[in-house]
C-alpha cells in the first residue's frame, strides 16, 4: 500500500526560492525534487535546512509536514543556517549593495528568529575568553563543578579519564561470560591493561589542550574539537565543531559528544578478547593490540551525538594480531 503524500518545502543549495512538493517516500521526494530543480538523480540527496542532517528513509517518515529541506546535487554540501551566514559574509566582501539585500532576506522571513539567535551565539562565542585557563580568570565556566578543579584542562582531562575508567569496568564486567577455565588468564590481561592505563594517566591528555602532541590529533588551535564523522565516512557531513573552553554552555554540551569505537567494543573487541583467552592453546594473547582498540585513538573517533552510529558497524578485529610469538631464548653451549 502506497504511503500517503505529505507536503514539504524544498529549495536548492544556495537558492532562496522554495517550492512546495508532496511525496510519500524519500525516494519519491528526491525524484520529484531533481526533476523540479533539474539535477541528476544519481548522487543527489536531501538534508534538513536547519542543520544539514542528511535524510534516511526512516528519518524522512518521522518528519512533520512542511519541514524545510535542501536538495543537494553531486558534490554540494549544506551546513544548515550557517551556510546562509557564510553567503552573507561573502556578499559583504564582494559588494556592499548585495549585503543589504542578503541581510534583508535573512532577517525578515520566517527563519529570522533562528538566524538572529545564530548571529547572537556567534557574537557571544567571539566575546568569550577562550584563552582563559585558570578558575580565577573565568569563574562562570566552572559553575556547577567541584571546587577541586582549578583550571579547565584539569576538568576535561578528568572527564576523559572517567570515560576510560568506564571502558575498563565494561571489560572487567565481561568476565562472567568468559569460560571458567580461562578466567584467571582474562583477569591477568585486565591487570596488565589497568597498569598501562594508570601509567598514561588514563589518556586524559586527549582532551587537555596543554598536551599539544596528543591533543592535536583531536583538536585544532586553542581547544577547538571537530567531529570526526560516522564510522563509515571520512568526514562529518554536518561539520560539527565545538570549543568546550569557550563558555559554560559549550562545556556542558561537549559532555554529550561521544568517543565512538570504530571496531565496536561490546560487539567485537571484548568478545574477541574473551575468545582469544579461551582458545589460546599455549599461545600468548596480544593484549596490547586489544588495549589499543579499547583505549586509544587507534580505534576511537570523537563524534557529535548525531553522528554516533549505534547500529552494527560490521567490523572485526585483525585475526593476524590476536596472538603474538613468544620471545625465543637461545642457550649457549
Amino acid at each position: 500500500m502506497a504511503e500517503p503524500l505529505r507536503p514539504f518545502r524544498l529549495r536548492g543549495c544556495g537558492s532562496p526560492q522554495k517550492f512546495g512538493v508532496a511525496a510519500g517516500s524519500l525516494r519519491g521526494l528526491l525524484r520529484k525534487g531533481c526533476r523540479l530543480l533539474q539535477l541528476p538523480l544519481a548522487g543527489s540527496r536531501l538534508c534538513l535546512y536547519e542543520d544539514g542532517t542528511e535524510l534516511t528513509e526512516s528519518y524522512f517518515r518521522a518528519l512533520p509536514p512542511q519541514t524545510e529541506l535542501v536538495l543537494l546535487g553531486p558534490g554540494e554540501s549544506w551546513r544548515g543556517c550557517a551556510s546562509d551566514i557564510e553567503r552573507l559574509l561573502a556578499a559583504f566582501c564582494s559588494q556592499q549593495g548585495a549585503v543589504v539585500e542578503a541581510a534583508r532576506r535573512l532577517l525578515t522571513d520566517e527563519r529570522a528568529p533562528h538566524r538572529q539567535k545564530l548571529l547572537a551565539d556567534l557574537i557571544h562565542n567571539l566575546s568569550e575568553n577562550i584563552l582563559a585557563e585558570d578558575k580565577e580568570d573565568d569563574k562562570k565556566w566552572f559553575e556547577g563543578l567541584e571546587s577541586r578543579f582549578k583550571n579547565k584542562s584539569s576538568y576535561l582531562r578528568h572527564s576523559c579519564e572517567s570515560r576510560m575508567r568506564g571502558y575498563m569496568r565494561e571489560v572487567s564486567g565481561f568476565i562472567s561470560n568468559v569460560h571458567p577455565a580461562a578466567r584467571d588468564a582474562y583477569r591477568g590481561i585486565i591487570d596488565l591493561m589497568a597498569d598501562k592505563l594508570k601509567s598514561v594517566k588514563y589518556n586524559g591528555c586527549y582532551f587537555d589542550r596543554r598536551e599539544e602532541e596528543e591533543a592535536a590529533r583531536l583538536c585544532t588551535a586553542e581547544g577547538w574539537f571537530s567531529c570526526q564523522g560516522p564510522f563509515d565516512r571520512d568526514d562529518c557531513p554536518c561539520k560539527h565543531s565545538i570549543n568546550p573552553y569557550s563558555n559554560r554552555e559549550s562545556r556542558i554540551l561537549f559532555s554529550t559528544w561521544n568517543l565512538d569505537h570504530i571496531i565496536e567494543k561490546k560487539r567485537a573487541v571484548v568478545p574477541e578478547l574473551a575468545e582469544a583467552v579461551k582458545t589460546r592453546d599455549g599461545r600468548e594473547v596480544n593484549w596490547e593490540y586489544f588495549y589499543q582498540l579499547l583505549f586509544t585513538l587507534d580505534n576511537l573517533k570523537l563524534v557529535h551525538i548525531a553522528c554516533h552510529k549505534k547500529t552494527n558497524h560490521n567490523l572485526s578485529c585483525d585475526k593476524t594480531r590476536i596472538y603474538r610469538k613468544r620471545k625465543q631464548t637461545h642457550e649457549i653451549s
Side-chain angles (χ1 to χ4, degrees), residues 202-238:
Y202 290 88
N203 289 327
C205 62
Y206 288 167
F207 297 102
D208 186 341
R209 60 177 168 183
R210 296 180 302 180
E211 300 284 348
E212 295 180 2
E213 183 176 349
E214 286 295 333
R217 298 179 65 187
L218 281 175
C219 64
T220 57
E222 308 304 350
W224 280 98
F225 289 81
S226 297
C227 174
Q228 296 175 303
F231 76 94
D232 55 351
R233 296 185 181 178
D234 293 330
D235 298 302
C236 165
C238 299

Side-chain angles (χ1 to χ4, degrees), residues 56 100 104 145 163 175 179 189 201 270 292 318:
T56 62
V100 176
R104 186 193 65 77
L145 299 182
R163 296 191 194 196
I175 196 167
H179 191 278
I189 288 177
K201 299 180 180 178
V270 178
Q292 291 171 355
D318 184 348

Side-chain angles (χ1 to χ4, degrees), residues 4-8 21-25 29 59-66:
L5 299 180
R6 290 184 296 142
F8 296 93
V21 182
S25 67
L29 182 59
Y59 195 180
F60 169 80
R61 288 195 293 269
L63 292 177
Q66 300 299 339

Side-chain angles (χ1 to χ4, degrees), residues 87-159:
R87 277 196 296 277
L88 170 62
L89 296 176
F92 180 76
C93 293
S94 60
Q95 48 184 324
Q96 292 185 353
V99 74
V100 176
E101 177 60 21
R104 186 193 65 77
R105 290 198 305 268
L106 282 173
L107 301 178
T108 57
D109 69 8
E110 72 275 13
R111 291 287 179 177
H114 183 84
R115 292 185 183 126
Q116 290 166 359
K117 182 180 183 303
L118 187 66
L119 285 170
D121 289 345
L122 175 62
I123 295 171
H124 174 66
N125 285 331
L126 289 175
S127 66
E128 286 296 320
N129 190 5
I130 292 175
L131 296 179
E133 173 67 14
D134 297 327
K135 187 173 184 178
E136 56 266 26
D137 296 326
D138 194 354
K139 293 182 179 179
K140 187 176 180 181
W141 192 94
F142 291 84
E143 289 180 2
L145 299 182
E146 298 177 37
S147 59
R148 63 190 174 104
F149 298 113
K150 305 301 182 184
N151 56 63
K152 296 178 181 179
S153 290
S154 66
Y155 171 73
L156 290 172
R157 191 167 58 245
H158 165 77
S159 297

Side-chain angles (χ1 to χ4, degrees), residues 300-318:
L300 285 168
K301 296 178 73 173
L302 182 67
V303 293
H304 184 278
I305 188 171
C307 291
H308 190 186
K309 304 297 185 182
K310 296 189 176 181
T311 54
N312 196 327
H313 292 189
N314 293 316
L315 297 174
S316 58
C317 301
D318 184 348

Side-chain angles (χ1 to χ4, degrees), residues 258-283:
N258 293 313
L259 280 172
D260 188 15
H261 286 85
I262 303 169
I263 302 175
E264 295 169 283
K265 175 178 78 273
K266 292 182 178 179
R267 291 190 178 105
V269 181
V270 178
E272 187 71 66
L273 173 60
E275 182 65 19
V277 174
K278 174 187 172 184
T279 59
R280 65 190 187 282
D281 192 25
R283 293 172 292 181

Side-chain angles (χ1 to χ4, degrees), residues 287-304:
W287 67 268
E288 289 178 319
Y289 169 61
F290 289 99
Y291 172 90
Q292 291 171 355
L293 295 181
L294 290 166
F295 304 111
T296 76
L297 297 182
D298 290 348
N299 191 48
L300 285 168
K301 296 178 73 173
L302 182 67
V303 293
H304 184 278

